[in-house]
Amino acid sequence: MSFGRWVVAVVSVLLAVTAVPASAAAPAPTALTLTAPGGYADASTSLTVVLAHSGGSPLAGAQVVVERRVAGVWQPAGTVATDAAGAAPLGQVLRRVAGDNVWRATYAGDATYAPAVSPEVVAPLTRRRGLATLRVPRRVVDERAVTARVRWQTTTGVPVVGTVRLQRRTPGRGWRAAGSFTTRADGRVAIRLRPRVDTRYRVRVPSLDWVSGDVSGVQRVDNVPPRRPVRLPKGAPSPRVKLPVQARAVGSGANLRVTAIPDGIWDQMTGVSWHPGCPVGRGGLRLVRVNYWGYDGYRHRGEVVTATGASGQIGGALAEMYRRGFPIRSMYRIDRFGWSGRLQGGNDYQSMAAGNTSAFNCRQVVNRPGVRSPHSYGRSLDVNTWENPYRSATGLVPNTWWQSRSHPLVAWRSGNHPVVRLMRAHGLRWTYGNGDTQHFDAARHGRVVLPRACVTEVCH
């Protein structure tokens, strides 16, 4: 090769080499960290972003995007620029839900520095102390409502929105749930209560992410009767047989209901107040349910069994007693007292000793063995039997103290007593007067039909 050609070849190679560009350098790696101090909800905290490149040198003037996770969704929280130390602050308000206090930071990078994402950070909440208060009126008239007022706040007065649980405690029972209620934005909620007995109340509030739980103080509500209890004379004896307080009234007013005898009640009657050989069967009997005023001033629900043809008279008289405020001590069916071998029927001795009001009972006359009682026909009614004795063939039953005494509401010794007049207005005769003060008979076609042995003798 000639020298000239060699020079051309060398120059061509050099030109070719200088025409190839140098490879671009890879961006330098970066490290992005984020810190989020904790604190109380609703208070401010200062997040700190720190961005550095290889070797740990700070990266100044970089734009960093901060996001916050709210209800599980990432949302922009702000964009900051790092200072000479590679750091940047960002103020945030701590929310009351722990899961909403999570952040992350992102650096997009550029041709010189690689992008970076910080680990997620959580700002821990410090719980404020919760305070639950309950205010309830001290008294409530039975069957009326009172308003309980609940307030849930922190000890610093910040209201809390959430679910409060009302609990109640009645005599002889432990604390039981009485409902859940949600406080308003002011931390308050009003609850209507209808306690039927003396009741203690309290509220429980749970621990939330930002506030601790609490239990309010106990508030007592005294249930008082709507009417004044019966006042008996000083020295009046109490019934010998104690009965549980009968169930409270159902519905408004007397709420008189007359029905056929249900299967369950007939099963209870059979072998006690009814048995084979009785002059009236199931089809000729009716169950009379009615509200009454108890001696305690409360409304109660009672029941008696009567003959079908007398149910209107007896039920109407009992309903009228309710409307006019004449109290009844109790009104259980005679079956509650079991079988009496002496009477060959329901145990009327026990019923009278309890002061109970009853009607149908297929039995013999008290203290007159072998004589069928008018109660066997379901047309007789005994009212307030403790205060209104029966002068039997062998003495006064169930006590002697009351025979010479009367009471304007519950005991009568004269046909002019308002209860006797009331009964008469409903076709119920005070057949034996002071011989059997508790006993009334439903007239049929204007006259009382009695067993022959009971026409001239007192038959209870």
Side-chain angles (χ1 to χ4, degrees), residues 192-261:
R192 297 288 280 175
L193 303 174
R194 292 180 179 271
R196 301 302 305 275
V197 295
D198 292 348
T199 305
R200 288 177 169 82
Y201 291 97
R202 70 184 183 188
V203 289
R204 282 185 172 275
V205 295
S207 289
L208 303 180
D209 291 344
W210 69 285
V211 64
S212 64
D214 192 31
V215 180
S216 74
V218 176
Q219 297 284 303
R220 176 188 171 115
V221 180
D222 291 333
N223 178 283
V224 297
R227 297 181 70 92
R228 181 177 297 177
V230 173
R231 296 185 64 180
L232 297 176
K234 184 178 181 180
S238 298
R240 291 189 300 274
V241 174
K242 305 299 181 183
L243 291 175
V245 176
Q246 204 157 9
R248 293 291 175 84
V250 174
S252 61
N255 192 20
L256 175 64
R257 294 287 185 271
V258 179
T259 66
I261 307 297

Side-chain angles (χ1 to χ4, degrees), residues 426-455:
H426 286 272
L428 298 177
R429 303 295 176 83
W430 195 40
T431 308
Y432 301 114
N434 285 326
D436 191 355
T437 56
Q438 64 192 254
H439 184 96
F440 297 89
D441 288 301
R444 180 186 297 166
H445 306 302
R447 57 188 292 266
V448 174
V449 179
L450 297 171
R452 181 175 300 178
C454 299
V455 174

Side-chain angles (χ1 to χ4, degrees), residues 112-182:
T112 306
Y113 299 104
V117 178
S118 74
E120 296 177 9
V121 294
V122 179
L125 285 176
T126 301
R127 283 194 175 103
R128 295 186 184 273
R129 183 181 171 191
L131 179 64
T133 56
L134 173 66
R135 295 289 181 267
V136 185
R138 295 296 303 273
R139 288 162 43 102
V140 59
V141 175
D142 188 52
E143 298 188 81
R144 297 184 185 176
V146 293
T147 300
R149 302 190 182 279
V150 178
R151 186 177 184 185
W152 187 10
Q153 61 183 348
T154 67
T155 54
T156 58
V158 179
V160 182
V161 177
T163 300
V164 301
R165 291 172 174 82
L166 181 68
Q167 296 179 315
R168 67 183 174 194
R169 185 175 186 177
T170 53
R173 307 186 76 174
W175 288 105
R176 295 175 178 268
S180 298
F181 307 88
T182 303

Side-chain angles (χ1 to χ4, degrees), residues 246 290 292 302-304 318 328-333 356-357:
Q246 204 157 9
V290 64
Y292 67 89
E303 58 184 27
V304 296
L318 293 172
I328 291 174
R329 187 180 283 278
S330 66
M331 199 190 304
Y332 287 102
R333 284 182 292 108
N356 188 54
T357 293

